[in-house]
Amino acid sequence: MSVRLPIQRDTVAPVRYTGPERRSRDRRQAPIVEVRPTYARIDAGALVNNLQTVQRAVGLRCRVLAVVKADGYGHGAIEAARTFVDAGAWGCAVSLVEEGVELRQADILAPVLVLGGVHPGSEDVIVHRSLTPVVWAREHLQLLAAAVRRSGAPPLPIHLKIDTGMSRLGALPGQLPELVDWLEGEDGQHLRLEGVMTHFACADEADDSTSPRQLEAFTGSLAALASRGFHPPIRHVCNSAGLVRLPHAHFDMVRPGIALYGAGSSPEVELPGLQMAMSVHSRILGIRELPAGARVSYGHRRELTRPSRLGIVPVGYADGYPRRMSGKAQVLVRGHRCDVVGNITMDVSMVDVTDLPDAREGERVTLLGAQGRDRISLYELAGWADVIPYEIACGISKRVPRR
Ligand SMILES: *Cc1c(COP(=O)(O)O)cnc(C)c1O
């Protein structure tokens, strides 16, 4: 008969830790550990330059609403928002109420537009945090007015979105009379129509016949509002591509996102003078010397055709370095381009440093941005992955610290 012993639970004795922890810049957050050599560098000077470049392009009388949704396109929403507001942006735009609250918690006091609409249950937070909701449905207005009434707050500024052809968010022009009727009613007094907006569907297309038609519908809607006595002071339409391509559509404010981070949706619609704010770097963990004929990484898709030296780099698709770039991507080592060899794995990629006999362990590897005289652009990475530049920037994962 066997005797059942109680399961021995292993425990770890606490050790006084003196390792490479550092306090995050936000003191309310726990200390963070950064030992992995992979990180994204965010150049605040480039963010300032880009805001100023946009401001010059649109003129000083036009406001700039800095779009910092999706964690500032992967650059860190709080730092980006602070930088843009300090550099003269009128305010910031986010997609979600949660993202707006994050900015308020970081003591950013500028106007914060919430682009994604008013979800039931979010109205009290919107009022409490003084967020500026983008609205397009009667339900939005009802929810918000009730929340303002409950809180006793002054009328809440709102921006009305009109769907002129994107077929996504916004009221169709035909729905405006109903909304205006509501705003003229008793509950409408709790809201203040500060802005009207629409969004381009094709401003970055080479052959864009859509934007002029959207603009026509927008000015038609403005006239309809004016005929009912509504003259919202902030009319805004242009995203980054729009502000480059359609200078007559700047109105009172522009809403750039990607331009502020230093790119365009494609090189053709990039505003001249921008600087890429994000670069991504790592280091070679170790060097592997392999004979011709050796096969590399999962699936053994790649066979070496010559005796090779492979640098092992701790970056993978879990960091937002897309696996589908395998066999196409390049990185910079000692200012030279090196091919990524074999499949990119979750945490590690292999790069061919055979032509750099001096490359050794600890060597700096640049995956995005400049090193020496060469640079890997966001467009190049996007091309290798067959995605748009936005997806690369937003996709650099939380696991990669921003410095
Ligand atoms: C994301 C977004 C923008 C910014 O677009 P970019 O192409 O990055 O300049 C502007 N307006 C709205 C409504 C958006 O959702």
Side-chain angles (χ1 to χ4, degrees):
M1 222 182 91
S2 70
V3 181
R4 291 193 58 176
L5 294 170
I7 295 169
Q8 186 77 42
R9 301 257 176 227
D10 285 338
T11 55
V12 180
V15 175
R16 237 186 91 216
Y17 186 70
T18 53
E21 275 186 18
R22 66 171 176 81
R23 281 240 154 241
S24 115
R25 260 191 269 174
D26 185 344
R27 278 161 194 255
R28 283 164 299 193
Q29 280 178 7
I32 44 182
V33 185
E34 282 179 13
V35 285
R36 188 173 177 238
T38 302
Y39 68 96
R41 204 176 94 83
I42 309 299
D43 181 350
L47 297 177
V48 172
N49 166 78
N50 298 338
L51 193 280
Q52 291 171 341
T53 303
V54 166
Q55 188 75 71
R56 267 197 302 278
V58 299
L60 284 174
R61 291 221 304 275
C62 183
R63 298 171 182 81
V64 178
L65 180 71
V67 180
V68 299
K69 61 191 179 191
D71 201 26
Y73 289 43
H75 293 62
I78 293 174
E79 297 287 327
R82 265 196 203 123
T83 306
F84 294 140
V85 169
D86 288 349
W90 174 78
C92 298
V94 294
S95 182
L96 315 176
V97 169
E98 287 84 343
E99 295 173 325
V101 170
E102 189 190 1
L103 298 186
R104 288 290 185 247
Q105 284 172 339
D107 298 326
I108 289 163
L109 300 176
V112 173
L113 252 69
V114 178
L115 300 170
V118 183
H119 301 279
S122 69
E123 64 274 17
D124 289 302
V125 185
I126 290 173
V127 172
H128 176 66
R129 290 293 190 173
S130 300
L131 303 174
T132 305
V134 170
V135 299
W136 57 85
R138 188 213 283 257
E139 192 195 15
H140 296 162
L141 303 176
Q142 286 166 337
L143 289 168
L144 292 167
V148 174
R149 191 173 347 97
R150 277 196 291 279
S151 73
L156 181 76
I158 56 171
H159 287 223
L160 175 62
K161 183 161 190 175
I162 301 166
D163 180 359
T164 58
M166 176 74 179
S167 305
R168 187 180 63 166
L169 311 176
L172 294 169
Q175 297 170 318
L176 287 181
E178 179 207 351
L179 297 177
V180 171
D181 287 345
W182 195 93
L183 284 172
E184 280 179 339
E186 196 180 324
D187 283 339
Q189 308 317 306
H190 292 298
L191 306 176
R192 178 163 64 79
L193 187 59
E194 179 184 64
V196 197
M197 61 185 284
T198 191
H199 192 46
F200 287 135
C202 302
D204 53 359
E205 304 279 320
D207 186 14
D208 171 22
S209 56
T210 307
S211 297
R213 273 189 280 131
Q214 287 193 261
L215 276 177
E216 216 170 288
F218 184 63
T219 46
S221 298
L222 291 177
L225 289 173
S227 74
R228 301 283 303 267
F230 284 91
H231 303 274
I234 308 183
R235 302 159 297 168
H236 49 111
V237 177
C238 286
N239 56 3
S240 300
L243 77 88
V244 175
R245 279 264 173 86
L246 297 134
H248 54 291
H250 291 164
F251 291 95
D252 308 299
M253 184 160 81
V254 291
R255 297 191 308 268
I258 195 85
L260 297 180
Y261 305 100
S265 41
S266 68
E268 294 76 46
V269 291
E270 188 183 315
L271 194 63
L274 299 179
Q275 295 167 6
M276 189 63 208
M278 185 194 286
S279 56
V280 180
H281 311 273
S282 186
R283 288 188 186 280
I284 290 179
L285 270 188
I287 302 268
R288 192 125 295 212
E289 312 257 0
L290 294 162
R295 289 174 167 272
V296 182
S297 191
Y298 287 123
H300 270 184
R301 294 272 140 64
R302 174 68 192 271
E303 181 178 336
L304 299 176
T305 53
R306 57 173 182 176
S308 302
R309 302 176 75 237
L310 299 187
I312 314 303
V313 186
V315 176
Y317 59 79
D319 300 302
Y321 197 62
R323 183 179 180 278
R324 56 185 309 176
M325 303 193 305
S326 304
K328 295 183 203 153
Q330 296 182 320
V331 301
L332 298 174
V333 180
R334 297 199 162 204
H336 292 275
R337 285 184 176 246
C338 300
D339 291 335
V340 173
V341 180
N343 273 332
I344 293 167
T345 71
M346 185 184 284
D347 313 297
V348 184
S349 304
M350 278 64 86
V351 304
D352 187 348
V353 293
T354 313
D355 296 329
L356 299 172
D358 294 337
R360 63 193 90 245
E361 191 182 319
E363 200 81 55
R364 186 174 160 89
V365 179
T366 296
L367 302 111
L368 168 64
Q371 192 194 95
R373 273 194 234 137
D374 205 348
R375 72 195 284 267
I376 291 177
S377 72
L378 196 57
Y379 305 118
E380 259 184 295
L381 273 179
W384 293 329
D386 195 20
V387 297
I388 57 174
Y390 301 73
E391 283 189 69
I392 297 288
C394 298
I396 301 296
S397 75
K398 279 245 148 43
R399 207 166 82 160
V400 179
R402 272 59 171 176
R403 294 193 192 152

